[in-house]
Amino acid sequence: MRAHRPLPAYAQAVLRITDARTGEPVEAAPARRGLTRVQAHAPGLDATALRVLLVSDLLVRALELGGTPVWSLLTGDHQQAELRAAAGALGVRPFEDGSDLGSGLGEAQVLHVTAQGGPAPEEAGGTLAGTIGRAVVAVAPVDAPTAAAPDLSDPGALRLVLLSHPRDLPVRLDGEALEEARRTLAHWRGAVADWARRPSRPVPDEVRVELRTAWEDDLDVPAVLRVLRRVETWPDLPDGARFETYAYADRLLGLELTRDIGSLA
């Protein structure tokens, strides 16, 4: 991932994503307010396929936060119902069926999200004709204890583990990583529920810019998580501002950080 260049608070952030075909960054939405298609390619159900859908979900969320209309599709051959159910448990929002794409909807950009080393989207049936731009977003594999889909008994912890690594680096799923994620998520949800009882304060401009700079820079979600860790202990920051910061970032992260509001005595 590239080093971040802080933007002034008034700057218009533009999501840029690395095209795996060239290694160069491209604008994820080159036409202002133009439709962007995010097309996930997942041939079956396993941990890597779930990570592909999670990255696709993050792209959709980041584009929508920037005001870009998005059309999200899933293309695959096997276990699609099982994959969609597992993705839903992981907090991935529904994707339309991309098997009968046809000519599309006149989108200005197409982002194909696929596993590293998999077939090129053109070979997998992706429709590229009639578009202004296209890019391939490659997702590194997940090293799980078994070849089957990972345990979804605690989907929030699994999502946090996958979010904590750059998407171009492999992820090792093991009990230690999941337990650490469970502790972190429980701590953050408890802190957010506590901060919610304080008077609300706006997200500081510099924090909002830092968050946007992170996710607009090649979808650097680990950098977003680092911002949250700093905000938690930032001296003299009102708790109401900490709450609003975590709630704002969770629109991208999808970790249900506000889930426990009202549960504290």
Side-chain angles (χ1 to χ4, degrees):
M1 297 289 182
R2 298 177 298 283
H4 299 314
R5 295 182 296 277
L7 300 176
Y10 56 81
Q12 176 63 47
V14 176
L15 175 60
R16 298 180 68 81
I17 200 81
T18 299
D19 187 345
R21 301 170 305 165
T22 64
E24 297 295 325
V26 298
E27 290 188 16
R32 181 172 176 80
R33 307 301 182 190
L35 178 67
T36 292
R37 186 207 317 164
V38 175
Q39 186 164 356
H41 298 265
L45 173 59
D46 58 23
T48 299
L50 277 178
R51 193 183 189 193
V52 168
L53 263 66
L54 176 57
V55 170
S56 303
D57 182 58
L58 291 170
L59 274 173
V60 171
R61 290 169 181 261
L63 287 163
E64 289 180 343
L65 282 167
T68 297
V70 186
W71 183 27
S72 53
L73 299 167
L74 170 60
T75 299
D77 299 323
H78 307 291
Q79 299 177 295
Q80 292 299 286
E82 295 85 350
L83 178 58
R84 288 177 182 275
L90 198 62
V92 173
R93 294 181 293 184
F95 283 66
E96 293 185 36
D97 184 3
S99 59
D100 299 319
L101 179 59
S103 59
L105 296 176
E107 55 270 30
Q109 176 74 301
V110 180
L111 300 175
H112 291 276
V113 187
T114 186
Q116 285 180 355
E122 292 87 346
E123 297 169 1
T127 301
L128 303 179
T131 62
I132 295 175
R134 65 179 187 262
V136 175
V137 180
V139 179
V142 177
D143 181 11
T146 67
D151 181 7
L152 288 166
S153 59
D154 193 343
L158 175 57
R159 186 175 177 108
L160 180 55
V161 171
L162 296 178
L163 293 177
S164 299
H165 298 267
R167 69 166 188 284
D168 56 349
L169 296 180
V171 175
R172 170 66 181 173
L173 273 186
D174 55 32
E176 182 178 352
L178 287 167
E179 181 56 34
E180 181 180 355
R182 289 187 191 99
R183 290 195 299 267
T184 298
L185 203 52
H187 170 70
W188 278 353
R189 286 171 174 168
V192 168
D194 184 45
W195 297 334
R197 299 186 295 175
R198 309 301 199 274
S200 179
R201 294 292 186 271
V203 179
D205 285 344
E206 61 269 33
V207 174
R208 186 183 296 272
V209 170
E210 192 171 0
L211 287 169
R212 291 296 295 264
T213 300
W215 78 59
E216 300 281 357
D217 181 16
D218 206 22
L219 207 62
D220 192 352
V221 179
V224 173
L225 297 173
R226 290 194 294 271
V227 173
L228 293 186
R229 291 186 175 96
R230 291 200 302 274
V231 165
E232 181 181 359
T233 58
W234 191 334
D236 302 324
L237 185 67
D239 285 346
R242 299 186 211 274
F243 167 77
E244 294 295 347
T245 298
Y246 273 63
Y248 174 66
D250 202 40
R251 294 171 63 188
L252 174 80
L253 300 173
L255 290 170
E256 298 184 310
L257 296 179
T258 60
R259 189 187 71 178
D260 292 345
I261 291 177
S263 63
L264 296 179

